[in-house]
Amino acid sequence: MGLCLSRSSTPPVKKRQSKRLTNQATASVNGGGGSNRWSRNRSSKREDSLIQERALATILFQQQLQNGGGGGGGIPFDRSTSLRYPNSNSKKNQPLPRSSSSRARSLTDPLLQPHQLVNQEVKVDDLETNHFVLVHGGGFGAWCWYKTIALLEEAGFKVTAVDLTGSGIHSFDTNSIASLSQYVQPLTDFLEKLANGEKVILVGHDFGGACISFAMELHSFKVSKAVFVAAAMLTSGQSALDIFSQKTDSNDLMRQSQIFIYANGNDKPPTGIDLDKSLLRDLLFNHSPAKDVALASVSMRPIPFSPVLEKICLTDSNYGSVRRFYIETAEDNAIPIALQQNMISDDPPERVFHLKGTDHSPFFSKPQALHRTLEKAPTNEPASKPAVVSQPVDNTKNVPAGIHSSNTNNYFRADGQNCGNFLTERRSTKVQAAPGGGSSLGYLFGDGSSK
């Protein structure tokens, strides 16, 4: 009985054994051991969670389609949670800042894309002309405008870059060019072929300024505006050599880099000018990217000498009838800013633009800034010149002390006096009183006392 009592006093053990036997039996029926049983349970749980996630994704997808997210397009991807859950305190329709920086982005910032540089208020179709004709400088070719071409075309303008005779891919021998008209012929031929009433905007760089001036004189009625980019802007009777020779500094980079070519013999005048490739960066590209300097070093050709010597004839009725703009390059070693300003003061254009931090080749060093400036030319209205109104002068306040004269005296006003040869209406040429009052130099001017 004691054994019976001991056995009957431990019923939980029997239940655990019975339960274990039941589980083992179940496992044997399913054909696997205990380890397979637990792994199968874990995998079934993962499968259930995956099924639930897929079902939830399907429901969300169907809701998105019902809310207008379909139509054949993909579901828009939220860029951040701030777009989906905006701050309740923020103003309505307030755009999120694209950057945490408070600095205003510069127009010359290379991170800007071409479409960001376009003046959205400008409608190209409404302009007098949307056709730019780009004319390269001496030694360059149409290839140098590749960035400007891309930016202008992106903005909706039509662009033509011309290779002048013996430049770029033009096959003519540079040493055989005998005149400016021969050198500019590709440009003048292009202008002659324009349709009646069609106008263009000429853009000239470097020696290309003299070339567009020549074309403006011949075809002024086909040129809407002219833009001189660090270019030779001549007056009538001048040659490009006259302009460039104003740089008399013996250490001038231009003089150091020039290599004269004598194709007709050393006893004859030069036929061309080449540039020392080792000095190109310092002379023309001191702020330009290395890849553009490399492009120029393998693409530049000699400059014909005869067109540089030729004096140009410009008239007010032709050349003077075209609106002109000038773009200064602040850190130019080929045509220094002082020389550019001299040309501007000799024959002022309608407007002058100033590009900071750019070398002689802004189409390489500052292409976005150059594009932005060129874009202003077709939309710029003629500057109205205010009528000159002569202001009445109160001469009584300007009469120097000691002088009693009349309006017939050429030096009646104080601002009309010179430095000592003071003329009066007196019969004697001796001045009785110094201009502005008495003087201690009585032996020269007199002390004003009666003798």
Side-chain angles (χ1 to χ4, degrees), residues 15 72 124 145 150 164 166 171 174 183 205 258 278 281-282 296 308 310 340 347 361 368 377 383:
K15 288 183 179 180
V124 176
W145 298 105
L164 300 178
S171 59
T174 304
Y183 182 60
H205 170 249
Q258 288 176 349
S278 64
R281 176 182 288 276
D282 294 334
V308 178
E310 187 172 330
Q340 297 179 40
D347 189 11
S361 307
Q368 292 94 345

Side-chain angles (χ1 to χ4, degrees), residues 55 58 81 113 125 131 161 176 225 235 240 256 267 278 299 313 415 438:
T58 303
T81 56
Q113 298 299 319
D125 296 335
H131 190 176
S176 301
K225 302 174 185 69
T235 58
Q256 296 178 28
D267 57 336
S278 64
S299 303
C313 180
D415 58 357

Side-chain angles (χ1 to χ4, degrees), residues 285-306:
F285 312 112
N286 44 301
H287 288 292
S288 298
K291 61 182 180 181
D292 293 325
V293 179
L295 171 65
S297 64
V298 298
S299 303
M300 293 190 70
R301 296 177 62 180
I303 306 167
F305 193 65
S306 294

Side-chain angles (χ1 to χ4, degrees), residues 402-431:
I403 299 298
H404 302 283
S405 186
S406 64
N407 291 335
T408 59
N409 189 343
N410 188 41
Y411 290 88
F412 180 75
R413 300 184 309 276
D415 58 357
Q417 298 175 19
N418 57 15
C419 58
N421 294 327
F422 192 82
L423 302 180
T424 69
E425 292 183 334
R426 296 183 180 89
R427 295 179 180 179
S428 172
T429 59
K430 182 179 180 180
V431 178

Side-chain angles (χ1 to χ4, degrees), residues 178-195:
S179 65
L180 181 60
S181 60
Q182 184 181 8
Y183 182 60
V184 187
Q185 186 173 352
L187 174 60
T188 54
D189 288 347
F190 173 81
L191 294 176
E192 288 175 357
K193 295 177 182 177
L194 290 176

Side-chain angles (χ1 to χ4, degrees), residues 9 40 62 104 135 162 192 201 217 226 233 263 279 296 322 369 395:
S9 61
R40 184 173 289 105
Q62 292 176 352
V135 182
V162 179
E192 288 175 357
I201 300 172
E217 179 66 25
M233 189 169 63
L279 297 177
V322 180
N395 293 326

